[in-house]
Amino acid sequence: MSFSKETPQLSAQQPIDHDIRQALGGLRRCEVLGLRLGDLSPSERRVFISEGKGGHQRLIPISAQFFTAVGDYLDQERPAVDHDQLFVVLRGPTRGRPPSSDGLDEILDGVRRRTGLPRLTCHQLRHTCLTRLREAGMALEAVQAQVGHRSIESTRIYIHLANSWLAEQYLQASAAIDADRAES
């Protein structure tokens, strides 16, 4: 497996890189825990989600920065193991084993302490990721496919748009309508 090194390297003081958080933030807890090395396709910049909700599978695009961060994780942090789970426990008696759901909660506890966010959960990261994708201009239907929702209504519930973004979108649409009227 070849990972591109064209983007900046992780700093040693940044154990959970922003690019990994952003990509994983859109995934469900079970999807994060189920990721295997073979699910990654760096050349295509895609990740295969083999253990989605309800047994559904999907292939999703992921940024080049994510693959750079994963490559750094594999090279610098992940111990040699005899399985293909992407993420493993890095310290303690279970070092090298796939993390459990409780183990993922322990990681989030550490992130909460470092960031000062009192109630950070995997589910909140998912909401945040979906909202940021939508605010960045990703079509609602594309966000739906990215996160594996069967219903567009589920995706709408997840998205919490900032008032400033909503106002900007309204003003852009209003200007476009005004421009169409002026041309008529």
Side-chain angles (χ1 to χ4, degrees), residues 94-115:
T94 59
R95 177 177 163 81
R97 292 189 194 147
S100 64
S101 189
D102 288 342
L104 193 52
D105 286 339
E106 286 180 32
I107 292 168
L108 285 172
D109 286 343
V111 172
R112 276 193 291 275
R113 283 191 301 274
R114 287 192 304 277
T115 62

Side-chain angles (χ1 to χ4, degrees), residues 19 38 41 69 80 83 102 126-127 132 134 140 146 152 168 170 178 183:
D19 301 310
S41 182
H83 57 80
D102 288 342
R126 185 169 163 84
H127 278 255
R132 302 260 342 253
R134 184 65 188 109
L140 190 60
Q146 180 81 10
I152 197 80
E168 180 184 324
Y170 173 79
D178 290 345
E183 291 176 10

